[in-house]
Amino acid sequence: MKMALTSKNKIKFIDGSLPLAKIDLISVIWIDKSVGVWNDLKDRFSQGDMICIFYLQEEIYSFKQGELYVTDYFNQLKILWDEFINFWPHLACTCVNPCNCGAVQTGQQYMKNDYVIRFLKGRIEQYANVKSQILMMEPLPSINKVFSLVLQQERNANKCSIRSKGFCY
């Protein structure tokens, strides 16, 4: 938990190193509806940070499994991806009437697919067969399902290599 909070620059909220801020909502005092207050504060404080997004994308796209186990590789990539999503501006429908074109859902699915592709792209070639099988699935499975499939492949590969050396698994 400490590593996750540190990676998201949130550890100071629990370790006491962040000074208490004066709570002052005078800037929204004349907004008469709570949704208006929420939208004002959201617009003010949830701006994407393109510099952070730039460096996080660079790190995500260059991150490779190397000698890491699948679980360690997945966890480190997930930390980077969660931080990236935290900075990326969220898609939202602003139509007056409820939108039914599905553009927001399509954009969200593209992000999920990109996560799966990033995970598979950074994998070593030892698992090329499971990577190809996953990429041929339509629609692409969730990142958690992909992780599970690759983890099973790693376990099978390790079981076979241990057996070939004369050890029981």
Side-chain angles (χ1 to χ4, degrees), residues 7-20:
S7 74
K8 292 182 179 238
N9 200 20
K10 305 288 186 207
I11 194 73
K12 58 190 167 194
F13 289 101
I14 62 165
D15 71 0
S17 63
L18 181 70
L20 289 176

Side-chain angles (χ1 to χ4, degrees), residues 31-58:
I31 300 174
D32 58 351
K33 294 188 179 187
S34 60
V35 71
V37 172
W38 172 251
N39 287 336
D40 182 77
L41 294 173
K42 181 180 171 196
D43 186 46
R44 196 178 319 167
F45 294 109
S46 69
Q47 301 299 317
D49 185 337
M50 285 300 153
I51 293 171
C52 287
I53 290 169
F54 174 84
Y55 287 110
L56 283 166
Q57 275 188 336
E58 183 177 46

Side-chain angles (χ1 to χ4, degrees), residues 100-115:
N100 61 3
C101 72
V104 172
Q105 291 81 5
T106 300
Q108 291 169 342
Q109 190 59 50
Y110 285 154
M111 291 289 285
K112 291 176 183 177
N113 288 349
D114 191 43
Y115 188 11

